[in-house]
């Protein structure tokens, strides 16, 4: 199977004791992008990521990484991936630096400064001699991230990496991931239950709910579809469209159906435009403003109940 994506799954499914955790998920993670897997607690994000990393076996379906199907994916290829899945495991009685050195040795890393460099990047260089057990939750998360990026992988798979971080930590981690993606072309799959976090990071978003992938779309398209607009309900929609173009030079509008038109541009001129329609003999039945709101979109998509 040839894949054009860094990660591609087909109908990936995991059943635990008769209950379905991941249900026919087909992911498409483009190379060199940040892909946000968004879902409430228990949606199946961790389970899906574990299958990608071959930590658990799918009940059915397939995984394709770097264009190679799971079965053909050689163990030796795993150095191309960095990951954080659930709480990162480290030795409690060793320092951060010692922990990373052991990992580097296990991986057969060649760059001598990789440990120091990773610690610096995640802002732990001043704390590197503290024992792991004395680390705060946020520091543990940072160390997990250092371990994931230390070998400069082409692909990062990060399960809720912002968990336990303070606002500055979140900001720094976000900047780091964006930089890795933009400057080094790293492909990043990141899960979160916070929409806002995804908005600030992801190029593509996949919404997982009760094990199913409800939506997979580019952030740009999502913004486009959820922009603020004024909706006019008019008697003659084509005539109204013509007036927008000719009298106001507006082309950023959409005819929704024979009586509805949405205006995305020059929203502040809506009263004047309304008057223009009336003057041209168009009946304006209704005019309403819709605020663009991704959170509404997300809530509608997963069927209410807010974000986990
Ligand atoms: P969270 O953000 O809370 O970690 P998640 O989206 O990562 O949620 P998963 O951890 O993948 O969700 O869990 C999805 C479902 O699968 C849950 O109902 C969970 O109880 C179930 N599940 C996960 N691991 C196992 C397991 N080892 N045995 C049985 N059920 C499991």
């Amino acid at each position: 199977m040839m894949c054009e994506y860094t990660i591609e799954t087909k109908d990936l499914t995991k059943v635990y004791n008769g209950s379905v955790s991941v249900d026919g998920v087909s992911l498409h993670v483009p190379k060199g992008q940040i892909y946000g897997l968004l879902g409430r607690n228990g949606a199946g994000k961790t389970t899906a990521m574990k299958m990608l990393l071959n930590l658990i076996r799918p009940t059915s379906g397939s995984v394709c990484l770097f264009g190679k199907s799971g079965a053909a994916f050689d163990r030796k290829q795993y150095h191309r991936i960095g990951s954080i899945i659930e709480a990162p495991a480290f030795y409690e009685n060793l320092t951060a630096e010692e922990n990373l050195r052991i990992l580097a040795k296990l991986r057969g890393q060649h760059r001598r400064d990789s440990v120091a460099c990773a610690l610096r990047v995640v802002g732990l260089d001043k704390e590197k001699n503290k024992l792991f057990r004395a680390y705060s939750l946020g520091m543990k998360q940072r160390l997990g991230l250092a371990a994931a990026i230390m070998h400069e992988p082409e692909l990062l798979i990060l399960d809720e990496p912002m968990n336990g971080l303070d606002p500055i930590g979140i900001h720094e981690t976000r900047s780091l991931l964006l930089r890795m993606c933009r400057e080094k072309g790293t492909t990043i799959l990141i899960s979160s239950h916070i929409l806002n976090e995804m908005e600030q990071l992801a190029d593509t978003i996949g919404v997982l709910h009760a094990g199913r992938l409800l939506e997979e779309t580019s952030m740009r398209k999502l913004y486009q579809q959820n922009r603020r607009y004024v909706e006019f309900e008019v008697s003659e929609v084509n005539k109204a469209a013509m007036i927008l173009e000719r009298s106001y030079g507006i082309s950023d509008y959409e005819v929704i159906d024979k009586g509805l038109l949405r205006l995305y541009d020059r929203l502040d001129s809506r009263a004047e435009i309304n008057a223009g329609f009336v003057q041209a003999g168009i009946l304006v039945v209704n005019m309403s403003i819709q605020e663009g709101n991704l959170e509404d979109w997300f809530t509608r998509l997963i069927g209410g109940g807010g974000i986990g």
Side-chain angles (χ1 to χ4, degrees), residues 31 102 107-108 115 129 135 146 217:
K31 184 173 160 47
I102 289 175
R107 289 181 186 150
V115 168
N129 294 323
Y135 264 29
T217 180

Side-chain angles (χ1 to χ4, degrees), residues 100-101 104 109-120 146 149-152:
L100 290 190
R101 286 209 181 288
Q109 230 150 8
H110 297 302
R111 264 189 61 184
R112 294 200 55 195
D113 61 346
S114 60
V115 168
C117 190
L119 285 167
R120 197 167 49 244
I149 62 170
M150 191 169 57
H151 55 302
E152 300 190 26

Side-chain angles (χ1 to χ4, degrees), residues 22 24 38 80 86 118 130 139 155 177 181 204 225 270:
V22 172
L38 179 67
R80 298 171 72 181
E86 295 182 323
K130 259 194 185 165
M139 288 157 79
L155 169 63
L177 297 179
C181 177
T204 303
Q225 287 166 350
R270 61 189 180 277

Side-chain angles (χ1 to χ4, degrees), residues 84 88 90 95-100 115-132 134-150 165-166 169 172-173 176:
I84 303 182
F90 292 104
T95 67
E97 190 176 26
E98 286 164 346
N99 265 296
L100 290 190
V115 168
C117 190
L119 285 167
R120 197 167 49 244
V121 164
V122 301
L124 283 178
D125 40 340
K126 291 198 179 66
E127 323 262 7
K128 65 183 179 193
N129 294 323
K130 259 194 185 165
L131 295 184
F132 180 73
Y135 264 29
S136 72
L137 179 60
M139 288 157 79
K140 287 177 178 173
Q141 280 290 53
R142 283 172 189 250
L143 188 62
L145 190 61
I149 62 170
M150 191 169 57
L165 293 181
D166 57 32
E172 286 173 357
T173 304
L176 170 64

Side-chain angles (χ1 to χ4, degrees), residues 235-236 239 243 276-283:
S235 55
E236 291 164 274
K239 196 168 168 189
I243 289 172
F277 286 165
V278 174
Q279 241 169 37
I282 299 169
L283 289 178

Side-chain angles (χ1 to χ4, degrees), residues 16-17 19-22 39-48 50 56 86 159-160 163 191-193 208 211:
Y16 283 117
N17 314 318
S19 87
V20 187
S21 294
V22 172
R40 302 181 66 182
N41 296 127
K45 306 179 295 290
T46 306
T47 306
K50 280 181 176 167
I56 55 171
E86 295 182 323
D159 190 17
E160 306 250 4
N163 261 1
S191 76
S192 175
H193 59 283
L208 203 60

